[in-house]
Amino acid sequence: MSMEVVDDGAIRRVTLDRADKRNAMTVAMFDVVTAAVEDAVADDSVRVVAIRGRGDHFCSGAEIGTGGSNHDEQPAKPRTGHLQRSLRASPHRMIRTLFEAEIPIVTGVQGYAAGIGAALALAGDHVVATRSARFWVPFVSRGFTPDSGTTFLLPRLIGVARAKEMILRGKRVDGVVAADWGLVSQLVDDDALDDAVEEVVQEFAHAPTVAVGLAKQLLFRGQTGDLNDALEREALTEELAVRSDDFKEGMRAFAGRRDPDYQGR
C-alpha cells in the first residue's frame, strides 16, 4: 500500500505510505491525493484534510522511472508534448486541487520535502514543520526546469530573491530557516509534530467551514487580481457566508458571550 486515506469524524487523513522510498510519489499517488481532496470538498461531513508522510520523511519528490526493463532495446521515444501533458494530467492537477479546494488543508513536514514533495507540503493552508525538516527544489540543479507550482508559490511566500536561492541554486532550507523566512506556518521540535498538527486539525474541524473555505479562495485569487477584483470577490463571498448556519451560530454565540459551536454548514 502506497497511500492511506482514512476519515476520522470531520477529518480526512491522507498519508503517504512508502517510508522505504522516502515517500517518493508515483502517478497513482498523485491521483489518490487529488481524489481524496476532491471527494472531501463534495462531502459535507468532512471539514479539514490532513496530509502527512509516514516514517522519517514527508516526501522526497516524484519517483523517477528507469525508462524500460529491456536493456537490449532503446525505449520508444514518447510523442512530443508527452511531459507537458503528463504534468497537467496528474501532479499539476493535484496541486491545483489543493489550492482551489474550499476546505482547509493542513500538512505536517518531517525530514525531506523535495521537488513535488515541497510543493505538496507548501500548498497546505497551515504548514507545520519540524526543526530538522528540509525543503528542497532541486529541479534546476538536476538540469531541468521547475514544475508543480513552485515558481508560483515560492516568490509569494518568501520573495523573489529567496525563491531564486531555492530554485536557481538549489538551496536546501531547514525548518528553522523556513520559519524565519515565512515559508511555513509553524515550527516545532521533532517530537512535537504529531501533537502540533492535531491541534490545528481539530481547530479547523470545529471552525465555520463555509467561511474558512470562502476566505481561502479570496486569499488565493487575490494574489493574481487587482484591488477592484478583490473587492468584488469579497462582496460576493460575504453574501454567501452570511447565509450559512455557522454565521448565525457565530452571532448567537457573540451575543451570548459563549464559544460558538460550528457545524460546518
Side-chain angles (χ1 to χ4, degrees), residues 63-226:
E63 183 171 71
I64 300 175
T66 60
S69 59
N70 189 336
H71 299 292
D72 297 326
E73 299 180 5
Q74 292 293 325
K77 184 178 179 180
R79 189 168 71 248
T80 300
H82 167 76
L83 180 58
Q84 178 261 340
R85 291 190 299 273
S86 298
L87 284 169
R88 178 187 295 168
S90 199
H92 284 187
R93 181 183 170 206
M94 177 185 71
I95 296 299
R96 187 180 297 111
T97 297
L98 294 173
F99 274 106
E100 294 180 349
E102 287 189 12
I103 189 171
I105 312 290
V106 178
T107 57
V109 183
Q110 77 283 7
Y112 270 102
I116 195 168
L120 174 60
L122 298 174
D125 300 301
H126 189 96
V127 185
V128 185
T130 65
R131 294 178 179 276
S132 63
R134 295 290 185 273
F135 296 90
W136 186 29
V137 285
F139 301 99
V140 172
S141 60
R142 290 180 176 174
F144 58 111
T145 53
D147 59 42
S148 310
T150 50
T151 59
F152 172 89
L153 186 59
L154 290 178
R156 287 165 171 79
L157 289 174
I158 59 177
V160 174
R162 286 169 172 168
K164 286 180 178 179
E165 286 293 292
M166 293 188 70
I167 292 174
L168 302 185
R169 299 183 63 201
K171 179 181 178 66
R172 306 182 197 202
V173 175
D174 65 28
V176 176
V177 173
D180 181 61
W181 282 6
L183 191 63
V184 301
S185 312
Q186 185 177 356
L187 177 69
V188 298
D189 292 334
D190 289 17
D191 60 359
L193 181 61
D194 290 346
D195 289 344
V197 170
E198 191 62 21
E199 181 179 357
V200 178
V201 167
Q202 290 295 336
E203 178 183 327
F204 278 128
H206 295 86
T209 309
V210 173
V212 170
L214 292 172
K216 171 181 172 176
Q217 285 305 297
L218 287 172
L219 289 166
F220 170 48
R221 301 194 184 282
Q223 296 181 60
T224 55
D226 60 22

Side-chain angles (χ1 to χ4, degrees), residues 13-91:
R13 302 184 188 276
V14 179
T15 305
L16 282 60
D17 194 9
R18 298 183 78 205
D20 59 323
K21 301 291 186 181
R22 292 188 173 185
N23 294 319
M25 296 188 74
T26 63
V27 170
M29 293 170 71
F30 298 141
D31 295 344
V32 170
V33 173
T34 301
V37 175
E38 288 178 340
D39 292 347
V41 172
D43 186 344
D44 287 346
S45 69
V46 179
R47 300 167 67 179
V48 59
V49 176
I51 302 178
R52 301 289 307 276
R54 198 175 306 283
D56 296 331
H57 301 278
F58 178 76
C59 174
S60 60
E63 183 171 71
I64 300 175
T66 60
S69 59
N70 189 336
H71 299 292
D72 297 326
E73 299 180 5
Q74 292 293 325
K77 184 178 179 180
R79 189 168 71 248
T80 300
H82 167 76
L83 180 58
Q84 178 261 340
R85 291 190 299 273
S86 298
L87 284 169
R88 178 187 295 168
S90 199

